[in-house]
Amino acid sequence: RRQRSLGPGVAAAELPRLSEAFYRPDAARQRSTGGVGLGLHLCRMVAQAHGGSLRTANAGPGLEVVLSLPV
């Protein structure tokens, strides 16, 4: 089963790093204004622990995040 979510999008060069722990592509964001960079990392870790995967891509407009889990 797949669940898709659209967001604001990111630079293509940053897509591979989005699920790294503590990585935030927007340098203007601070801890006090929005997260610490663990959300997608934790999603990827949970997906992998269950034999699944997490994929990110620009959806034009927006960001596409695809979480795939075995049925």
Side-chain angles (χ1 to χ4, degrees):
R1 178 177 172 160
R2 291 184 174 198
Q3 178 70 36
R4 294 177 185 231
S5 175
L6 292 178
V10 298
E14 296 183 29
L15 286 172
R17 298 195 62 202
L18 285 181
S19 64
E20 290 180 12
F22 305 107
Y23 181 74
R24 291 182 290 181
D26 186 354
R29 290 186 76 168
Q30 302 297 318
R31 232 177 134 174
S32 62
T33 61
V36 295
L38 287 176
L40 288 176
H41 173 72
L42 292 174
C43 290
R44 180 177 57 88
M45 298 302 290
V46 169
Q48 289 176 340
H50 292 280
S53 64
L54 184 82
R55 180 180 61 81
T56 58
N58 278 316
L63 175 69
E64 178 182 61
V65 179
V66 179
L67 172 66
S68 298
L69 295 171
V71 184

